[in-house]
Every structure is written in structure tokens, then in C-alpha cells.
Amino acid sequence: MPHLRPLHLRPHHPAARLGARVAALALGALAVLVVAAGPAAADPAGPSDFRSEVTGVEPAVDGVAARIRGGDSFLELEVAAGVEVVVHGYQDEPYLRFLPDGTVERNRLSAATYLNEDRAGAVTVPADVTAAMEDPDTEPEWEAVANGGTYAWHDHRVHWMSKASPPVARGEQVGGAYDPWRVPITVDGQPAAVEGVLFYEEAVSPIPWLVLAVVVAAGLAVGARRVGGVRAASGVLAAVAVLGAVTGRDEWAASPDGSGNPLLWALPVVAVVAASVAVALGERAAGVIGALAAVAALSGWAIFRFQSLLKPVLPGDLPPGLDRASLGLALGASVAVAVVALTSGALALPALADDDGDGDEDAAGRP
């Protein structure tokens, strides 16, 4: 009697060719999205145990607004037209200059220009800059870095620098230099300072979101195997990937000037494309390949962002619960679709036991 055996797809097999095109499309889409997003210029914002906030500019001045972006990652200054502001570096040297026409310039001879490229300040300041900093008569070398009167940068005075936890309980304000923290500025020739505070936030547990992942995985796997199979499961995965693209882009946008990691939103977009192919092709071999490609992209995205389940402060502007829910849904849906795809039988064809197609005869040629 004939029996089933796994199908080994050869390169010229139509399903193999279509599956290869699906994989190539997914990889090509990812490459285009990553390249289009541009390189990162500084450490991107990420999940953290700390929340920093601006309390105001002292003394109060018109035309200057400040805020924190990315939880505690970046200090952003917005200066109105007609106002000139100079931001001072860590040794009171001129670091940034906001001109009245909206141009923002950075001093190449300020140590802050280099230290602020890394959140931990773990960089080597060029020797000529170090020498210039030691000479009080050194004139700034300004270079334009932005226009429109708005600029954001890592400022080590507004976030916790040590690897050790601060000497305060969770949920409390950090004292010392952070109570309040101060960034000195000059506004139209008059001294002022941006002031703020830093909080060591309450810890969070990943358990509720992992439970959500388990429930979704079990429910979707059972439901899809009863109704719709690969097509239904992939449709749910595509919807979850859309939510992932939204929350991932929110975290990406928390880092200014394209310095965020484009994989935060590119991986879910690839998952949407691959899952849509799986919905279109259903139980065909290429449909299963598309479903598995979507699983790889979305589960990789969820693992890449797993710190969002462990840290209390998320860098984006969306509600943290929605962000964490998207991760739980992504993990659960990925497991379910992988199970449904691999057990669908779409990658196996009925075939006879021998390679010659004469399955009704034994090795000696007897029927």
C-alpha cells in the first residue's frame, strides 16, 4: 500500500521556486527598510529603570522649552525664533548654540561633543580637543547639526551613570546631583539653567505578559487547527505584526534624528508581508514557508525587545501596557503559527515507497 513520505523539494519544483521567492521578498524588504532608515548617530533610547523629567528653566525665560525623550535618554531643547541660547558642557565650555534663525551648532572643541555620543560616556576625546579644553582662550569651532531651533542629545547630567543601583528605594527620587539635576545655559547673554529630577522606578514583572503569550499560543493553535489552518493562523499573526510595527516604531521614534534601531519596526513589517503571503496561499508549501518566515521575523522582534517586559520605563509615548501586550501577543502567536504550519502536512506529498514509482512490487520485482 502507498504511504506518505516527506517531500524533498528540488530547486526546479514550482513550490520550491515560489517559496524561495517568498523568502527573497522578505529578506529584500528587510534590507530596504534597514538601509532606508539610515545609520544610528548615537546610542538609541531603550527600556530603563529610570525616569527623568524637566521641572523647568530657572529663572523662567520666554522662548525656551525643554523635555526628556526616551524615558531618560535625551534632553531636547526647543528655542523660538529670535532667541539665542548657548548650552554649556561639563566643564562650562560652550557646547551647543541655538541661533536666532533656528540653526543649531555644536562646538567641535567641546569634550561634550564626543562624550555625548555614548550613553555611558565611554569614548576617547581627541587629543586636540583635550588640549583646547585646557586653554581658557580657545575659541569654539561651530558646526551646524540641525535647523528649526530644536535639538536633542545625550546629556549625562540627566540620567543615572553608574552600573550600580542608586542608594534609594524603588519608586523614589534620586538624590545628590540629581535632586535636582541642572544643565547650565545662557539665554540672550543671561545665565539660566534647565532643571529636572530623576526617579528610580518601581520594578515590573514579566509574568502577566508571559501568561498572555501561553494563552494566545494554546488558543490560536487549537482554534486554527479546527478552522482555517495555516491561513487563519497567519491572518492573526499578520494583525499582531501590525500592532508590533506600531509599538516598535514608537520606540524607534523616541530616539532623535534616526538614531533608533530600524529593526524595531522593520521586523514586524517583514512579518506582515510574509504572513500575508501565507494567507493568500494557505496550505500550499509556499504558504507554509511564508508562515514560517513570518514567525521567524516576529519572534525575533519579540526576543529583540524582551527587555521591555523587564524594565519599568519604556522609551516610547504609547501606554506601556499596550507595548508589553504586543510582545506577549507576538510570542504567543509565533508559537501557535509555527505549530500549525509544521503539523499541517503541507510539506509532505503522497508517494510510493520506492523511487521508481512501483510501490506495489517488492525489491525482487514480485507484486
Side-chain angles (χ1 to χ4, degrees), residues 84-178:
E84 180 169 312
V85 173
V86 174
V87 179
H88 298 271
Y90 304 119
Q91 298 179 42
D92 203 37
E93 80 282 5
Y95 165 50
L96 296 172
R97 181 169 68 174
F98 293 72
L99 297 177
D101 66 356
T103 301
V104 182
E105 298 176 325
R106 185 173 60 188
N107 179 14
R108 193 192 70 81
L109 296 181
S110 166
T113 293
Y114 307 91
L115 295 172
N116 291 351
E117 288 300 309
D118 183 85
R119 178 182 168 91
V123 298
T124 300
V125 178
D128 66 320
V129 175
T130 301
M133 292 283 294
E134 295 173 351
D135 183 355
D137 296 326
T138 298
E139 293 293 325
E141 288 188 11
W142 298 110
E143 53 186 5
V145 292
N147 51 43
T150 301
Y151 189 68
W153 67 98
H154 280 305
D155 197 300
H156 304 314
R157 292 165 287 203
V158 310
H159 66 84
W160 185 249
M161 290 290 292
S162 174
K163 293 183 179 180
S165 300
V168 298
R170 286 277 190 172
E172 292 188 1
Q173 184 173 322
V174 181
Y178 301 93

Side-chain angles (χ1 to χ4, degrees), residues 5-10 13 347:
R5 66 176 180 182
L7 170 65
H8 302 285
L9 295 178
R10 295 181 297 275
H13 193 284
L347 295 182

